[in-house]
Amino acid sequence: VQLQASGGGLVQAGDALRLSCAASGISFSSYSAAWFRQAPGKEREFVVGERWSGGSTYYADSVKGRFTISRDNAKNTVILAMNSLKVEDTAVYYCALRRSGNLHAPENYDYWGQGTLVTVSS
């Protein structure tokens, strides 16, 4: 099983960015997807996740209205569209997949991508 995250980069505040996470070796549609992030010196935090595969989505208050998660089961890909980026969004972003359990808890996720760095400058 492999999750390959991509799309990170250096952008200015107010810009948009689109992260992708491609899964292989897994029945992708059977898993719920999420994105977490970890800023320098901070713990990994929940950004957005699906309650079930393709189902209801939940966003951290800090990104609500700016970030959107979507999936393409035909391409085994989950997308994080990020708009109106802020300096405080700077972090390594991780995609993750889980079969069950609380969607906010990292320990419930079975597979993780390697992370992609997003840097937002002022």
Side-chain angles (χ1 to χ4, degrees), residues 11-17 66 82-87 89 120-122:
V11 297
Q12 291 190 328
D15 284 351
L17 207 56
R66 299 187 298 120
M82 305 184 294
N83 295 309
S84 303
L85 282 162
K86 303 177 180 180
V87 172
D89 294 320
V120 185
S121 63
S122 59

Side-chain angles (χ1 to χ4, degrees), residues 2-6 20-24 95 112-114:
Q2 187 174 19
L3 298 183
Q4 184 68 42
S6 61
S20 296
C21 179
S24 59
C95 57
W112 291 84
Q114 84 285 6

Side-chain angles (χ1 to χ4, degrees), residues 1-4 21-36 48-50 53-54 69-71 73 76-79 94-103 105-113:
V1 177
Q2 187 174 19
L3 298 183
Q4 184 68 42
C21 179
S24 59
I26 195 172
S27 179
F28 179 70
S29 61
S30 299
Y31 288 79
S32 304
W35 289 90
F36 289 77
V48 57
E50 300 174 317
S53 177
I69 189 173
S70 61
R71 65 158 61 210
N73 285 337
N76 285 4
T77 300
V78 58
I79 303 295
Y94 298 89
C95 57
L97 299 178
R98 84 183 200 288
R99 291 295 294 268
S100 62
N102 186 298
L103 64 93
E107 61 267 25
N108 289 333
Y109 286 81
D110 303 296
Y111 303 106
W112 291 84

